[in-house]
Amino acid sequence: MALLAVERLKLFSTRSPWWCAATAWFVSVGFAALIAGTREDAEFTATVASTQYGYDFGVAVIMVLAALSVTTEYRFGTIRTTFQAVPGRSPALLAKTVVVALLALFIGEAGAFGSWFVATLLQPRADLALDSAADWVNVTGVGVLYALAAVIAVAVGVLLRHSAGTIALLLVYAFAVEKLVRIVPGVGSSIYQWMPFNVAAKFLTGTGASNARAHGAGPVSLSTTPLDQGWALAYFAAIAFSLLAIAITVAKSRDA
């Protein structure tokens, strides 16, 4: 508990978490407002899933926040003091990860429910009631994915230890690498099915069938993975915690 308190104080003693949290919230809510407020055509039917289409932009900001929580300590040398106080290093890094992940979870849930609420105001005639398990996963699952994405970012930050490199790698991977994999001749589509963020989207949207039946719309699944929702979440979590385990192992074997 003492380590968690210390990491919380360190995290909120700088401005970047506050700016990143506000940005992630406004980006996700703003995207929902843009979709709900500008689509007036008859072919568009607002659904609970459509209120969360901006979550991946929020994920990017959350990963920046999580990465900076680690790399700034390496930049200014405060990580050395932390490792001197906690020679084993693992508890300190785990405490940092827990604090950052909980903050990401809170931001994700606030943004998800904010997006849903704004959409209900802008589309009062649409059926946006949270009246099925699929609807609740669409909304509450955003915070879970934010938390796991934060774990990934912390792990990459520990491995690289440089802010610019870490942020560049995370953003390029999330917005370019996974999508570009699909154009690899022959095997691109098969590889893309197992890319982490593609699989994570399956957890949020499922097959789209439940949402379609509830709202009279077509399927809205944003993922091509063959995994079902539960296994998709387990797969994404396994990747996140595997990266964290590797990062902690590496951190314990090298100088701070």
Side-chain angles (χ1 to χ4, degrees), residues 99-191:
V99 170
V100 174
L102 288 176
L103 175 61
L105 175 67
F106 174 78
I107 296 171
E109 298 300 344
F113 279 98
S115 299
W116 170 78
F117 180 71
V118 166
T120 60
L121 293 180
L122 296 176
Q123 292 277 351
R125 298 180 181 178
D127 181 10
L128 297 177
L130 302 178
D131 53 9
S132 71
D135 291 335
W136 280 101
V137 171
N138 281 153
V139 178
T140 60
V142 173
V144 177
L145 293 191
Y146 275 26
L148 292 174
V151 173
I152 291 174
V154 168
V156 175
V158 172
L159 290 171
L160 298 187
R161 302 191 291 185
H162 296 285
S163 298
T166 301
I167 292 172
L169 177 61
L170 289 170
L171 296 186
V172 168
Y173 177 83
F175 285 109
V177 173
E178 283 204 2
K179 295 176 176 59
L180 291 176
V181 163
R182 288 181 290 184
I183 67 176
V184 176
V187 298
S189 298
S190 298
I191 296 175

Side-chain angles (χ1 to χ4, degrees), residues 49 65 204-205:
L65 184 160
L204 280 185
T205 60

Side-chain angles (χ1 to χ4, degrees), residues 21-241:
T23 302
W25 190 86
F26 279 109
V27 165
S28 57
V29 175
F31 195 87
L34 181 65
I35 294 294
T38 60
R39 293 294 300 272
E40 299 292 343
D41 52 283
E43 295 181 358
F44 174 72
T45 301
T47 65
V48 174
S50 70
T51 67
Q52 306 302 320
Y53 280 174
Y55 84 93
D56 51 348
F57 296 104
V59 165
V61 180
I62 289 299
M63 289 195 296
V64 171
L65 184 160
L68 289 176
S69 72
V70 177
T71 57
T72 51
E73 286 215 61
Y74 280 103
R75 177 184 177 187
F76 294 107
T78 55
I79 196 71
R80 296 189 182 93
T81 304
T82 299
F83 287 163
Q84 287 175 352
V86 188
R89 299 190 180 183
S90 296
L93 293 175
L94 287 173
K96 180 182 293 294
T97 303
V98 169
V99 170
V100 174
L102 288 176
L103 175 61
L105 175 67
F106 174 78
I107 296 171
E109 298 300 344
F113 279 98
S115 299
W116 170 78
F117 180 71
V118 166
T120 60
L121 293 180
L122 296 176
Q123 292 277 351
R125 298 180 181 178
D127 181 10
L128 297 177
L130 302 178
D131 53 9
S132 71
D135 291 335
W136 280 101
V137 171
N138 281 153
V139 178
T140 60
V142 173
V144 177
L145 293 191
Y146 275 26
L148 292 174
V151 173
I152 291 174
V154 168
V156 175
V158 172
L159 290 171
L160 298 187
R161 302 191 291 185
H162 296 285
S163 298
T166 301
I167 292 172
L169 177 61
L170 289 170
L171 296 186
V172 168
Y173 177 83
F175 285 109
V177 173
E178 283 204 2
K179 295 176 176 59
L180 291 176
V181 163
R182 288 181 290 184
I183 67 176
V184 176
V187 298
S189 298
S190 298
I191 296 175
Y192 180 67
Q193 290 181 344
W194 300 99
M195 301 300 278
F197 289 98
N198 176 45
V199 175
K202 181 61 171 287
F203 166 64
L204 280 185
T205 60
T207 61
S210 297
N211 196 278
R213 287 195 298 271
H215 300 91
V220 292
S221 178
L222 301 180
S223 175
T224 61
T225 183
L227 297 174
D228 62 23
Q229 282 181 287
W231 282 110
L233 176 61
Y235 180 87
F236 190 60
I239 290 176
F241 291 118

